[in-house]
Amino acid sequence: MATWSAPGKVFLFGEHAVVYGKPGVAMAIRPRVAVTVRRVKNPAPVRSPYIDECFRSTGVQGSVYIRSQLPSSSGLGSSAAVTTATLAAISDEFGLGFTKDEIAERAFAIEKKVQNGRASPTDTYVTTFGGIVLITKGSKRRLPPQSLHLVIGNTLVPHSTAKMVEHVAQMHQKHPAIVNPIMDSIGAVTTQAIKCMNKPQQLGHCMDVNNALLEALGVGHPALSKLVLTARAAGAFGAKVTGAGGGGCMVALCPKHAKNWVAGAMDATGAKSIITTIDTTGIRKEKDG
Ligand code: PMV
């Protein structure tokens, strides 16, 4: 038996624009998913296509037990976390000796397959290595870790990443003269944000600008806007949609002393808040049981 866990993630800057070759910044966050893999001859069928694919691609058989602190399908990277933790546990249990790089690559291939080709390596890379990651055209680089105090607001409004990516693609096709400059601006905000990662006030302002640009792309939602405004009014440095939008989650950057207040204000609107900060570990082995 082997148990491994992996963290969730938030997109701090650049979602959607990253699909158009602009830089993006994502950060691993504290809530984790833990997966126990046990060698068994005739395992019960699993319900997750991600886990199915982990076993199929490694050619081994086993049972899995998952414990998750991450809400699924909310843009917090739970499928990537489940996939990397499962691969790490399989590698450990069956002595396959996968490196972190191999786990990140294999997990990306699995996400891509399960999601019909629509996946960026962001989630699988961030959850494997932890920390803050800058994604640029074809490359991924870890940025120096920062202890950012974040409050995530889950609207509990279901959303589909594939649909939102498709929506932006259609808008891009119809109105390239409008959408291209928005993508350029998001890229510029991300580049600016990288220079002020340790200046929370400036960083918060960058988040606000990024949010306005995401709304201009049509990936906002009234429930997200409400939470973004609530967080700012309660004292956040800045707040924005995180991930694909159209529902799902937003993220607020807060002064340390204000995070409980911001979370409370968000919960009072009917959302589900998560107070969190950076995870710098990525996948890790856990005690079994
Ligand atoms: O909703 P999430 O966290 O899976 O983020 C999607 C981010 C996009 O930029 C919209 C797509 C991608 O694969 O990068």
Side-chain angles (χ1 to χ4, degrees):
M1 175 158 70
T3 302
W4 282 70
S5 70
K9 72 100 204 2
V10 283
F11 251 101
L12 290 178
F13 295 97
E15 51 274 88
H16 288 289
V18 83
V19 179
Y20 295 79
K22 307 295 174 195
V25 175
M27 186 179 101
I29 52 170
R30 289 282 168 92
R32 286 185 161 254
V33 170
V35 179
T36 301
V37 168
R38 191 195 295 261
R39 219 180 256 256
V40 286
K41 284 216 179 87
N42 294 308
V46 272
R47 281 198 214 111
S48 157
Y50 297 95
I51 293 174
D52 259 346
E53 205 43 50
C54 288
F55 282 104
R56 204 204 53 77
S57 65
T58 48
V60 296
Q61 282 195 328
S63 67
V64 283
Y65 173 61
I66 301 172
R67 280 149 296 148
S68 181
Q69 302 166 332
L70 281 171
S72 60
S73 307
S74 59
L76 299 182
S78 75
S79 66
V82 165
T83 308
T84 54
T86 304
L87 285 171
I90 287 176
S91 171
D92 189 5
E93 175 73 349
F94 294 90
L96 305 180
F98 293 161
T99 61
K100 275 192 167 185
D101 276 309
E102 268 177 283
I103 287 171
E105 262 170 46
R106 281 175 173 269
F108 174 44
I110 289 171
E111 285 235 307
K112 221 171 161 176
K113 184 166 178 192
V114 174
Q115 294 166 199
N116 298 323
R118 281 189 202 276
S120 78
T122 314
D123 288 20
T124 42
Y125 189 86
V126 174
T127 187
T128 303
F129 289 94
I132 302 177
V133 171
L134 167 65
I135 299 103
T136 39
K137 248 186 208 159
S139 83
K140 302 168 256 8
R141 182 160 66 84
R142 285 183 88 190
L143 297 175
Q146 307 291 339
S147 68
L148 306 176
H149 299 287
L150 301 180
V151 181
I152 292 164
N154 187 351
T155 61
L156 307 175
V157 174
H159 76 153
S160 150
T161 297
K163 269 194 201 149
M164 298 320 291
V165 171
E166 181 59 34
H167 164 83
V168 173
Q170 278 178 15
M171 193 164 153
H172 181 247
Q173 209 178 8
K174 264 196 225 153
H175 305 292
I178 297 173
V179 174
N180 284 330
I182 298 176
M183 295 303 183
D184 289 342
S185 294
I186 295 178
V189 173
T190 304
T191 305
Q192 178 59 31
I194 294 163
K195 293 181 195 146
C196 55
M197 291 299 285
N198 57 358
K199 300 187 185 84
Q201 232 142 1
Q202 290 178 34
L203 200 62
H205 182 59
C206 289
M207 289 170 78
D208 289 346
V209 177
N210 195 161
N211 189 67
L213 293 163
L214 286 168
E215 289 201 349
L217 285 180
V219 300
H221 184 281
L224 285 166
S225 305
K226 191 168 157 188
L227 284 182
V228 164
L229 296 176
T230 301
R232 288 180 195 155
F237 289 125
K240 64 180 273 293
V241 169
T242 186
C249 292
M250 50 68 74
V251 60
L253 176 65
C254 300
K256 191 176 178 189
H257 64 84
K259 57 189 181 182
N260 287 318
W261 183 252
V262 170
M266 284 176 4
D267 286 337
T269 72
K272 180 105 191 59
S273 69
I274 302 174
I275 297 174
T276 191
T277 187
I278 190 167
D279 168 277
T280 51
T281 313
I283 50 171
R284 72 167 182 232
K285 188 170 167 63
E286 302 286 346
K287 282 201 190 101
D288 296 318

